[in-house]
Coordinates of all heavy atoms in Angstrom, one line a residue:
V260 N 137.8 94.3 311.9 CA 138.7 95.2 312.5 C 139.7 94.4 313.4 O 139.2 93.5 314.2 CB 138.1 96.2 313.4 CG1 139.1 97.1 314.1 CG2 137.1 97.1 312.6
S261 N 141.0 94.5 313.2 CA 142.0 94.0 314.1 C 142.9 95.1 314.4 O 142.8 96.2 313.9 CB 142.7 92.8 313.5 OG 143.6 93.3 312.5
Y262 N 143.9 94.9 315.3 CA 144.9 96.0 315.6 C 145.7 96.3 314.4 O 146.3 97.4 314.2 CB 145.8 95.6 316.8 CG 145.0 95.7 318.1 CD1 144.9 94.6 319.0 CD2 144.4 96.9 318.5 CE1 144.2 94.6 320.1 CE2 143.7 96.9 319.7 CZ 143.6 95.8 320.5 OH 142.9 95.9 321.7
Q263 N 145.9 95.3 313.5 CA 146.7 95.5 312.3 C 146.0 96.1 311.1 O 146.5 96.8 310.3 CB 147.4 94.2 311.9 CG 148.4 93.6 312.8 CD 147.8 93.1 314.1 OE1 146.8 92.5 314.1 NE2 148.5 93.2 315.2
H264 N 144.7 95.7 311.0 CA 144.0 96.0 309.7 C 142.5 96.2 309.9 O 141.9 95.5 310.8 CB 144.3 94.8 308.9 CG 143.9 95.0 307.4 ND1 144.5 95.9 306.6 CD2 143.0 94.3 306.7 CE1 143.9 95.9 305.4 NE2 143.0 94.9 305.4
T265 N 142.0 97.0 309.0 CA 140.5 97.2 309.0 C 140.0 97.1 307.6 O 140.6 97.6 306.7 CB 140.1 98.6 309.6 OG1 140.5 98.6 311.0 CG2 138.6 98.9 309.5
T266 N 138.9 96.3 307.4 CA 138.3 96.3 306.1 C 136.9 97.1 306.2 O 136.3 97.1 307.3 CB 138.0 94.9 305.6 OG1 137.2 94.2 306.6 CG2 139.3 94.2 305.3
Y267 N 136.5 97.6 305.1 CA 135.3 98.5 305.2 C 134.0 97.8 304.8 O 134.0 96.8 304.1 CB 135.5 99.7 304.2 CG 136.8 100.5 304.5 CD1 137.6 100.9 303.4 CD2 137.2 100.8 305.8 CE1 138.7 101.6 303.7 CE2 138.3 101.5 306.0 CZ 139.1 101.9 305.0 OH 140.2 102.6 305.2
N268 N 133.0 98.3 305.4 CA 131.6 97.8 305.1 C 131.2 98.1 303.7 O 131.8 98.9 303.0 CB 130.6 98.5 306.1 CG 129.4 97.6 306.3 OD1 129.1 96.7 305.5 ND2 128.7 97.9 307.4
R269 N 130.2 97.4 303.2 CA 129.7 97.7 301.8 C 128.9 99.0 301.8 O 128.6 99.6 302.9 CB 128.8 96.5 301.4 CG 127.5 96.4 302.2 CD 126.9 95.0 302.0 NE 126.2 94.6 303.2 CZ 124.9 94.9 303.4 NH1 124.2 95.6 302.4 NH2 124.3 94.6 304.5
L270 N 128.6 99.5 300.6 CA 127.7 100.7 300.5 C 126.3 100.4 301.0 O 125.9 99.2 300.9 CB 127.6 101.0 299.0 CG 128.9 101.6 298.3 CD1 128.6 101.8 296.8 CD2 129.3 102.9 298.9
P271 N 125.7 101.3 301.6 CA 126.1 102.7 301.8 C 126.8 102.9 303.1 O 127.3 104.0 303.4 CB 124.7 103.5 301.8 CG 123.8 102.4 302.5 CD 124.3 101.1 302.0
F272 N 126.9 101.8 303.9 CA 127.4 101.9 305.3 C 128.8 102.4 305.4 O 129.3 103.0 306.4 CB 127.2 100.6 306.0 CG 125.8 100.1 305.8 CD1 125.5 98.9 305.1 CD2 124.7 100.8 306.3 CE1 124.3 98.5 304.9 CE2 123.4 100.4 306.1 CZ 123.2 99.2 305.4
K273 N 129.6 102.2 304.3 CA 131.0 102.6 304.3 C 131.1 104.1 304.5 O 132.1 104.6 305.1 CB 131.6 102.3 302.9 CG 133.0 102.6 302.7 CD 133.6 102.1 301.3 CE 133.4 103.1 300.2 NZ 134.0 102.7 299.0
F274 N 130.0 104.8 304.2 CA 130.1 106.3 304.3 C 129.2 106.8 305.5 O 128.9 108.0 305.6 CB 129.6 107.0 303.0 CG 130.6 106.8 301.9 CD1 130.4 106.0 300.8 CD2 131.8 107.5 301.9 CE1 131.3 105.8 299.8 CE2 132.8 107.4 300.9 CZ 132.5 106.5 299.9
E275 N 128.7 105.9 306.3 CA 127.8 106.3 307.4 C 128.4 105.8 308.8 O 127.8 105.0 309.5 CB 126.4 105.7 307.2 CG 125.7 106.3 306.0 CD 124.3 105.8 305.8 OE1 123.8 105.0 306.6 OE2 123.7 106.2 304.7
A276 N 129.6 106.4 309.1 CA 130.2 106.0 310.4 C 129.4 106.6 311.6 O 128.9 107.7 311.5 CB 131.6 106.6 310.4
G277 N 129.3 105.8 312.6 CA 128.7 106.2 313.9 C 127.2 106.2 313.8 O 126.6 105.9 312.8
T278 N 126.6 106.5 315.0 CA 125.2 106.4 315.1 C 124.6 107.6 314.3 O 124.9 108.8 314.6 CB 124.8 106.6 316.6 OG1 125.3 105.5 317.3 CG2 123.3 106.6 316.8
P279 N 123.7 107.3 313.4 CA 123.1 108.4 312.6 C 121.9 109.1 313.3 O 121.5 108.7 314.4 CB 122.6 107.7 311.4 CG 122.3 106.3 311.8 CD 123.2 106.0 313.0
N280 N 121.4 110.1 312.7 CA 120.3 110.9 313.2 C 119.0 110.2 312.8 O 118.4 110.6 311.9 CB 120.4 112.3 312.7 CG 119.6 113.3 313.4 OD1 118.7 112.8 314.2 ND2 119.8 114.5 313.3
V281 N 118.7 109.1 313.5 CA 117.6 108.3 313.1 C 116.3 109.0 313.0 O 115.5 108.9 312.0 CB 117.4 107.0 314.0 CG1 116.3 106.1 313.5 CG2 118.7 106.2 314.0
E282 N 116.0 109.8 314.0 CA 114.7 110.5 314.0 C 114.6 111.5 312.9 O 113.5 111.7 312.3 CB 114.4 111.2 315.4 CG 114.9 112.6 315.6 CD 116.4 112.6 316.0 OE1 117.0 111.5 316.0 OE2 116.8 113.7 316.4
A283 N 115.7 112.1 312.5 CA 115.6 113.0 311.4 C 115.4 112.3 310.1 O 114.7 112.8 309.2 CB 116.9 113.9 311.4
V284 N 116.0 111.1 310.0 CA 115.8 110.3 308.7 C 114.3 109.9 308.6 O 113.7 110.0 307.6 CB 116.7 109.1 308.7 CG1 116.3 108.1 307.7 CG2 118.2 109.5 308.6
L285 N 113.7 109.6 309.8 CA 112.3 109.2 309.8 C 111.5 110.4 309.4 O 110.4 110.4 308.8 CB 111.9 108.6 311.1 CG 112.7 107.3 311.5 CD1 112.0 106.6 312.7 CD2 112.9 106.3 310.4
G286 N 111.9 111.6 309.9 CA 111.2 112.8 309.6 C 111.3 113.2 308.2 O 110.3 113.6 307.5
L287 N 112.5 112.9 307.6 CA 112.6 113.1 306.1 C 111.7 112.2 305.3 O 111.1 112.6 304.3 CB 114.1 112.9 305.7 CG 114.5 113.1 304.3 CD1 114.1 114.5 303.7 CD2 116.0 112.9 304.1
N288 N 111.6 111.0 305.8 CA 110.7 110.0 305.1 C 109.2 110.6 305.2 O 108.5 110.6 304.1 CB 110.7 108.7 305.9 CG 110.0 107.6 305.2 OD1 110.0 107.5 304.0 ND2 109.3 106.7 306.0
A289 N 108.9 111.1 306.3 CA 107.5 111.7 306.5 C 107.3 112.9 305.6 O 106.3 113.1 305.0 CB 107.2 112.0 307.9
A290 N 108.4 113.7 305.5 CA 108.3 115.0 304.7 C 108.1 114.6 303.2 O 107.3 115.2 302.5 CB 109.6 115.8 304.9
I291 N 108.9 113.6 302.8 CA 108.8 113.3 301.3 C 107.4 112.7 301.0 O 106.8 113.0 300.0 CB 110.0 112.4 300.9 CG1 111.3 113.2 300.9 CG2 109.7 111.7 299.6 CD1 112.5 112.5 300.6
N292 N 106.9 111.9 301.9 CA 105.6 111.3 301.7 C 104.5 112.4 301.7 O 103.6 112.4 300.9 CB 105.2 110.3 302.7 CG 106.0 109.0 302.5 OD1 106.3 108.7 301.3 ND2 106.3 108.2 303.5
Y293 N 104.7 113.4 302.5 CA 103.8 114.6 302.6 C 103.9 115.4 301.3 O 102.8 115.7 300.7 CB 104.2 115.5 303.8 CG 103.3 116.7 303.9 CD1 102.1 116.6 304.5 CD2 103.8 117.9 303.5 CE1 101.2 117.7 304.6 CE2 103.0 119.1 303.6 CZ 101.7 118.9 304.1 OH 100.9 120.1 304.2
I294 N 105.1 115.6 300.8 CA 105.2 116.3 299.5 C 104.6 115.5 298.4 O 103.9 116.1 297.5 CB 106.7 116.6 299.2 CG1 107.3 117.6 300.2 CG2 107.0 117.1 297.8 CD1 108.8 117.7 300.3
K295 N 104.8 114.2 298.4 CA 104.3 113.4 297.3 C 102.7 113.5 297.3 O 102.1 113.5 296.3 CB 104.7 111.9 297.5 CG 106.2 111.7 297.1 CD 106.6 110.3 296.8 CE 106.2 109.4 297.9 NZ 106.9 108.1 297.9
G296 N 102.2 113.6 298.5 CA 100.7 113.7 298.6 C 100.2 115.0 298.0 O 99.0 115.1 297.6
I297 N 101.0 116.0 297.9 CA 100.6 117.3 297.3 C 101.0 117.4 295.9 O 100.2 117.8 295.0 CB 101.1 118.5 298.1 CG1 100.5 118.5 299.6 CG2 100.8 119.8 297.5 CD1 101.3 119.3 300.5
G298 N 102.2 116.9 295.6 CA 102.8 116.9 294.3 C 103.7 118.1 294.1 O 103.4 119.3 294.2
I299 N 105.0 117.7 293.8 CA 106.0 118.8 293.7 C 105.7 119.7 292.5 O 106.1 120.9 292.6 CB 107.4 118.1 293.6 CG1 108.6 119.2 293.7 CG2 107.6 117.3 292.3 CD1 108.8 119.7 295.1
E300 N 105.1 119.2 291.5 CA 104.8 120.1 290.4 C 103.8 121.2 290.8 O 103.9 122.4 290.4 CB 104.2 119.4 289.2 CG 105.2 118.5 288.4 CD 105.5 117.2 289.0 OE1 104.8 116.8 290.0 OE2 106.4 116.5 288.6

Side-chain angles (χ1 to χ4, degrees):
V260 180
S261 72
Y262 287 124
Q263 290 74 35
H264 190 64
T265 293
T266 56
Y267 304 137
N268 204 341
R269 66 197 152 89
L270 290 174
F272 311 113
K273 182 173 91 174
F274 291 108
E275 293 181 3
T278 299
N280 196 342
V281 179
E282 86 276 13
V284 167
L285 304 191
L287 177 57
N288 188 36
I291 289 180
N292 285 331
Y293 179 78
I294 292 166
K295 284 197 311 201
I297 296 166
I299 190 75
E300 286 82 9

